[in-house]
Amino acid sequence: MEPIRISKYFTDCGVMSRRSADAAVEAGEVKVNGVVAILGQKITPGVDTVTWKGKKIVPATDQQKICVMLNKPRGYLTTLSDDKGRHTVAELVADAGVRLYPIGRLDMDSDGLLLLTNDGQLANKLAHPSHEIEKIYLAYVDGNPSTEQLTNMTRPIEIDGRMTSPAQVRKAASGGEIAVLEVTIHDGRNRQVRRLCEREGLVVRKLTRVAVGSLELGHLEEGKWRRLTQKEIRKLKGGV
C-alpha cells in the first residue's frame, strides 16, 4: 500500500477531520511506531502503527464494534458536524478512538442519556420504530399539573403526519414553582415529550432522558461517556 499523510489516515479511519488530526499532531498527541509524529509525515497503513493519546488507530474495517453511553449536556447537537459551528456530540466522544454515530436523537435543548456506536447493525436495530424501546424522561415544568393534564398527556399526538404510541406519565415530584414529570415513550419522535407538554399548556424548563430500555443514566457525569459492557449490550438487544 502507498504511503499517505497521517491526517488522511485519521479521516480514512473515521476518527477525525484532517484539520483536527493536524492539530493533534502539532500537540504531540500522535505517535508513529512509538515516536512522536511530525506535521506532514506519511505512514504506510498496515505497516506502521499509529496511536493517538496512547490509543491505536486502525482502519474502520478492523475496528472493534463498541457502543457507549453519553450524558449529553444541553446546547449540543445530536449530529457529527454542523455547518453553523455549533457544538456537537461528536466532540464529546472524540477520545473514543473510533468514529461513533448517535442512535436516535436528543434535541439540542435536552440533556441526558444518548447512545452512540460504530456498529451499524446494532444502531439500525435499536433505532427502528417497530421495536418500540422504552425511553424515560424527566420533564421539569412550571406549576403543579392537574390529574386531567397528566391523563391527557398519555394520549397519542400527531407528529410528521403519523400518530405516536400512547405515553405513560406520572408526577415524580411537585411543590413550589416546579413539578417533575416522569414521561415514558416508545417512539422517540421529534420533540415528542415537549409537544405533549405544550399541548397541555405546560412550560418545560428542563428535559432529561434518564433511561433507554434496560439502561439507566445513573451517576454518569454530564459531558462524559462510558463504554457499555457486553452484558449490557446483550440485555439491550434482548429488549428489542
Side-chain angles (χ1 to χ4, degrees), residues 94-232:
D95 56 346
V98 294
R99 191 177 181 85
L100 299 173
Y101 299 85
I103 300 176
R105 60 166 65 92
L106 192 57
D107 71 65
M108 185 175 182
D109 296 324
S110 300
D111 57 75
L113 197 163
L114 178 69
L115 297 176
L116 301 98
T117 186
N118 61 345
D119 187 338
Q121 186 177 15
L122 175 64
N124 292 333
K125 190 172 185 179
L126 296 180
H128 199 282
S130 64
H131 297 306
E132 297 190 338
I133 297 177
E134 281 194 350
K135 303 168 187 69
I136 302 176
Y137 295 77
L138 294 181
Y140 297 75
V141 301
D142 284 350
N144 187 19
S146 66
T147 300
E148 182 180 5
Q149 286 176 305
L150 299 185
T151 299
N152 288 340
M153 281 183 64
T154 67
R155 295 170 182 162
I157 187 172
E158 184 176 335
I159 298 177
D160 298 330
R162 292 187 296 124
M163 300 302 292
T164 64
S165 300
Q168 299 170 30
V169 184
R170 74 176 186 87
K171 194 178 296 182
S174 62
E177 299 179 352
I178 298 291
V180 183
L181 307 182
E182 182 184 277
V183 184
T184 303
I185 61 175
H186 299 86
D187 313 73
R189 307 266 283 282
N190 186 27
R191 299 176 71 84
Q192 184 175 342
V193 176
R194 292 183 183 276
R195 292 179 190 224
L196 290 173
C197 291
E198 290 167 2
R199 188 175 64 180
E200 295 308 307
L202 300 175
V203 178
V204 179
R205 298 298 179 183
K206 187 176 189 293
L207 184 62
T208 303
R209 183 156 65 193
V210 295
V212 173
S214 59
L215 297 172
E216 296 182 355
L217 184 61
H219 300 292
L220 184 62
E221 186 180 344
E222 187 176 72
K224 301 297 183 181
W225 62 272
R226 70 168 180 84
R227 287 183 62 162
L228 298 188
T229 65
Q230 289 303 309
K231 182 179 180 180
E232 287 176 321

